[in-house]
Amino acid sequence: MCLGIPGQIVEITDEARMMALAEVSGVRRAVNVACIADGPLQGLIGEWALIHVGFAMAKIDEDEAAQTLAALHELGETQEALEQMAAGDAALEGRV
Amino acid sequence: MKFASEFRDPKLARALLSAIAEKADAIGATREKPVHIMEICGGHTHSIFRYGLDKLIHEGIEFIHGPGCPVCVLPRARVDECIELAERPEVIFTTFGDAMRVPGSKKSLIQAKADGADIRMVYSPLDALELARRNPDREVVFFGLGFETTTPSTALAIQQAAREGLKNFTVFCNHITVPEPIKALLDDPYMMLDGFIGPGHVSMVIGIHPYDFIAQDYGKPIVVAGFEPTDLLQSVLMVLTQIEQGQPRVENQYGRVVPENGNPVSLAAIEDVYEKRPSFEWRGLGEIDASGLRIRPAYRAYDAEEKFGIGYAVGRREVPEVEGCACGQVMTGRIKPTQCPQFGKGCTPETALGALMVSSEGACAAYWQYGGARSAAE
């Protein structure tokens, strides 16, 4: 629960709610970017962030993202995060 | 992975191990008289075992696994209350998957779900918000659980619900804080702790200064650390250097992610939405003053305790721990998981008595996964 996973912001989807799409290990997920917004939200596109329970919590550089992903992969955390995202999607669609 | 040569940066790992050994010798750390370093965060515990750092490191360094796993410290009373909320016919109960298998006094959330309660595992509190929007005729309760890493996420979700005027979204708030249990451990006369490795992602939110008291009032070093094996080794070296110099302080090894003063947006959301509870119960540790958060009166409409008359809103519920379960002693470093009489016998990941075996970040689960199962069988 406490390890964030790196994701790249690829699209701003709802400026008012500060929502964006992030690509996390090949999967696109809606995330909130309030904690990393320090200017126009469009400026976040292409940035890497540490994503934690659906919130981008800290900007990180691309190298840090790659190294963290490798470490998380070895810890089995990448798969766990992706499974939790899939579970969240299933909950929303009532497939529970 | 028990050899430094298998690390992503084996040269750096070897250099750090060698520097740690030199420093440990210099301060007289031996197997008989080790330096006790507590890694507070369950994520760090997991990393230590996954990469075999406990085996690779100088024998005079002993890792003590701290209480930094929110699922592990969840009292049975809270699990029971979750189930009571979830079994109300109007409720959709939403939770992170981690909490699903923690045993309550009668059953776990996963058993309650099998019995027909509408319990949904979500990835984010935002999923719970979306469920509330899509199901206006149901009450969506989100189980707010976790340390300062998840606390702002729940706060931001509550603020969003308030902006939208959602009437059917509440949070059963069980968020807890890291500094207070460390203080409780330091005040415990039986604890032998020489230094701390601080949770990196908690400090990403709160910065490093909430730990100033550890160095200033208790004279112990603390280094906020990242999660890669070389991060942990470097942090151990920094703790040892502080001990050698006799100058305890708070240091930040994880500066690439952790700002010294934390994340201002997160901190503002926390301040806006929560206030401290006078005290909060921790599994195995008992009541700790000011260690839990509740929702401020301004956001009362989003507080499940108030709306459903449950939890601390109506009084603390006494639910004793399972007899023979030594989670509390393990969490305070008094015994190792394998010294618990139930480890591998009454308590395995499939038949867990305590939360430390259930949670992927629990010390018992880490021991089990990385060799404990073998030692229990021997």
Side-chain angles (χ1 to χ4, degrees):
Chain A
M1 185 193 301
C2 292
L3 297 182
I5 188 163
Q8 188 175 29
I9 308 297
V10 294
E11 187 184 336
I12 304 298
T13 52
D14 185 338
E15 294 243 1
R17 287 180 178 161
M18 300 207 128
M19 295 301 293
L21 270 186
E23 191 162 304
V24 179
S25 212
V27 175
R28 290 192 169 199
R29 229 286 168 180
V31 299
N32 181 290
V33 292
C35 295
I36 59 164
D38 50 7
L41 294 190
Q42 293 297 331
L44 293 174
I45 293 174
E47 293 269 10
W48 285 86
L50 207 53
I51 293 172
H52 186 79
V53 298
F55 288 76
M57 297 299 294
K59 283 188 199 174
I60 51 175
D61 66 35
E62 196 170 348
D63 285 349
E64 169 70 15
Q67 289 188 17
T68 304
L69 270 174
L72 291 176
H73 186 70
E74 289 197 345
L75 284 169
E77 293 280 342
T78 310
Q79 192 54 33
E80 196 172 308
L82 294 176
E83 283 168 8
Q84 286 164 353
M85 288 177 195
D89 291 343
L92 287 178
E93 290 159 19
R95 292 184 281 111
V96 287
Chain B
M1 187 184 287
K2 295 287 187 288
F3 303 99
S5 58
E6 294 179 37
F7 281 48
R8 194 166 44 250
D9 191 345
K11 204 170 150 192
L12 175 60
R14 269 193 291 270
L16 285 167
L17 285 164
S18 157
I20 286 169
E22 205 171 293
K23 204 68 81 178
D25 285 339
I27 60 175
T30 62
R31 182 193 295 269
E32 291 71 34
K33 206 176 162 212
V35 171
H36 296 98
I37 299 177
M38 175 174 274
E39 88 279 2
I40 298 159
C41 171
H44 282 155
T45 305
H46 197 54
S47 267
I48 285 167
F49 284 100
R50 173 67 184 84
Y51 295 104
L53 302 186
D54 57 320
K55 306 272 194 310
L56 282 170
I57 209 161
H58 185 278
E59 61 181 11
I61 310 296
E62 188 169 348
F63 289 111
I64 308 289
H65 319 301
C69 162
V71 175
C72 300
V73 298
L74 189 63
R76 292 212 296 167
R78 295 288 88 69
V79 180
D80 288 352
E81 285 163 349
C82 284
I83 289 164
E84 282 173 31
L85 280 170
E87 288 181 336
R88 295 173 74 109
E90 74 274 29
V91 164
I92 298 174
F93 191 83
T94 57
T95 173
F96 296 135
D98 310 44
M100 290 294 283
R101 292 173 56 236
V102 184
S105 63
K106 294 188 185 71
K107 52 182 150 178
S108 64
L109 280 165
I110 206 162
Q111 288 163 327
K113 184 178 165 72
D115 291 346
D118 191 347
I119 299 173
R120 306 195 194 179
M121 282 186 282
V122 291
Y123 166 64
S124 166
L126 296 174
D127 295 342
L129 265 189
E130 184 57 27
L131 275 170
R133 291 184 196 113
R134 292 185 190 184
N135 296 274
D137 54 335
R138 303 284 301 278
E139 287 288 340
V140 174
V141 179
F142 175 68
F143 182 28
L145 172 68
F147 288 102
E148 289 88 339
T149 331
T150 51
T151 299
S153 313
T154 312
L156 288 160
I158 288 174
Q159 287 176 326
Q160 182 64 38
R163 275 194 294 273
E164 294 178 31
L166 280 176
K167 302 274 188 247
N168 63 330
F169 173 77
T170 52
V171 171
F172 183 40
C173 183
N174 283 265
H175 284 294
I176 46 180
T177 55
V178 166
E180 288 73 16
I182 301 178
K183 183 174 184 313
L185 291 171
L186 284 164
D187 284 333
D188 182 338
Y190 295 101
M191 290 303 296
M192 289 185 303
L193 296 172
D194 302 300
F196 293 91
I197 292 176
H201 290 159
V202 164
S203 281
M204 172 176 76
V205 171
I206 65 173
I208 63 170
H209 292 299
Y211 300 130
D212 285 345
F213 74 96
I214 295 173
Q216 287 169 7
D217 301 344
Y218 294 88
K220 309 282 185 191
I222 174 164
V223 175
V224 172
F227 292 85
E228 295 184 40
T230 46
D231 287 332
L232 286 160
L233 292 178
Q234 191 178 10
S235 301
V236 169
L237 181 61
M238 291 164 80
V239 167
L240 296 180
T241 303
Q242 288 192 38
I243 292 173
E244 185 186 37
Q245 294 171 342
Q247 291 175 340
R249 57 193 177 275
V250 185
E251 284 187 288
N252 185 8
Q253 183 276 335
Y254 200 27
R256 59 191 197 272
V257 170
V258 170
E260 183 176 336
N261 293 309
N263 182 289
V265 177
S266 297
L267 290 170
I270 290 172
E271 178 60 26
D272 179 45
V273 171
Y274 311 105
E275 60 189 8
K276 292 252 179 181
R277 296 178 189 271
S279 77
F280 196 73
E281 185 194 358
W282 295 57
R283 187 188 286 246
L285 303 177
E287 291 277 335
I288 300 177
D289 289 350
S291 63
L293 300 174
R294 66 185 173 205
I295 295 166
R296 286 188 187 277
Y299 290 99
R300 179 164 290 165
Y302 303 96
D303 186 347
E305 285 187 290
E306 295 289 340
K307 189 169 197 173
F308 298 101
I310 202 165
Y312 278 73
V314 289
R316 186 192 154 194
R317 191 184 296 203
E318 298 275 354
V319 180
E321 287 306 319
V322 182
E323 192 152 341
C325 177
C327 279
Q329 287 171 280
V330 174
M331 261 186 295
T332 51
R334 286 180 170 80
I335 63 169
K336 297 286 182 197
T338 43
Q339 293 171 296
C340 172
Q342 295 291 349
F343 184 85
K345 299 180 178 73
C347 188
T348 67
E350 286 72 38
T351 60
L353 289 178
L356 290 179
M357 188 62 97
V358 173
S359 167
S360 58
E361 292 171 13
C364 297
Y367 266 70
W368 182 268
Q369 191 175 347
Y370 300 116
R374 283 194 301 278
S375 69
E378 282 164 3

